[in-house]
Amino acid sequence: MSENTPARILVLNGPNLNLLGTREPEIYGHETLADVEELCRAAAAKAGYEVEFLQSNHEGVLIDAIHAARGTFCGIVINPGAFTHTSIALADAISGVQLPAIEVHISNVHKREAFRHHSYISPVAASIIVGAGVNGYVLGVQQLIHLASR
Ligand code: CA2
């Protein structure tokens, strides 16, 4: 880790991900968002990193959290939910703060409806993890730590 890089990771979750584990288990699995938070904290702690974990159904709340991450976090793991496919504003926020962002999707969006195949976030993401279930968040945390350690 370089001297000035905070050992803190921001994990963001977009709309409806608060429902994780309660509906559509065939697509999103049985783990809840609280389980995901625990997985992220455990993966980060192994390398001496802390996690701040936030879910919001509101685009502006996610954008404000991204803006506030500058200087405080080494990067962002983000599952933008359906904002992935709609939000230029979220993409602009990520490119604006110049922090590495790892885009995570629990499901393999490319196996699903055509409208899920396009992401406004992917062009501004450092890495993209798709279809690995909730383990994608763990991979995202590990990838950010890898990037911060270079
Ligand atoms: O696969 C993913 O992680 C998604 O980002 C999930 C989004 C979807 O709009 C993206 O296309 C792919 C939806 C999140 C909604 O999560 C729910 C979880 C359980 C029950 C209902 C919704």
Side-chain angles (χ1 to χ4, degrees):
M1 195 192 323
S2 89
E3 233 173 68
N4 297 318
T5 310
R8 299 185 75 216
I9 293 169
L10 178 61
V11 181
L12 290 179
N13 290 279
N16 299 309
L17 283 158
N18 52 310
L19 300 176
L20 205 61
T22 67
R23 288 168 38 202
E24 303 191 67
E26 65 290 355
I27 301 175
Y28 299 115
H30 291 281
E31 290 94 344
T32 65
L33 201 59
D35 296 330
V36 173
E37 178 171 357
E38 198 43 52
L39 288 171
C40 290
R41 288 194 192 285
K46 278 186 189 161
Y49 280 66
E50 284 178 14
V51 161
E52 185 166 316
F53 197 90
L54 176 75
Q55 186 276 331
S56 179
N57 295 321
H58 306 279
E59 196 174 12
V61 172
L62 296 168
I63 291 169
D64 287 345
I66 292 165
H67 290 174
R70 208 174 190 171
T72 320
F73 294 95
C74 66
I76 303 168
V77 174
I78 181 165
N79 183 344
F83 290 151
T84 305
H85 318 298
T86 63
S87 182
I88 297 168
L90 209 48
D92 284 348
I94 291 169
S95 65
V97 294
Q98 295 181 311
L99 284 173
I102 314 298
E103 178 183 354
V104 172
H105 298 288
I106 298 167
S107 64
N108 179 352
V109 284
H110 299 290
K111 269 200 211 168
R112 301 180 64 192
E113 304 96 321
F115 66 82
R116 296 187 202 276
H117 298 177
H118 176 263
S119 166
Y120 282 104
I121 309 305
S122 294
V124 298
S127 316
I128 304 158
I129 300 163
V130 166
V134 297
N135 192 49
Y137 288 85
V138 173
L139 297 172
V141 164
Q142 291 171 341
Q143 174 64 3
L144 261 191
I145 292 167
H146 170 74
L147 292 177
S149 309
R150 289 186 305 179

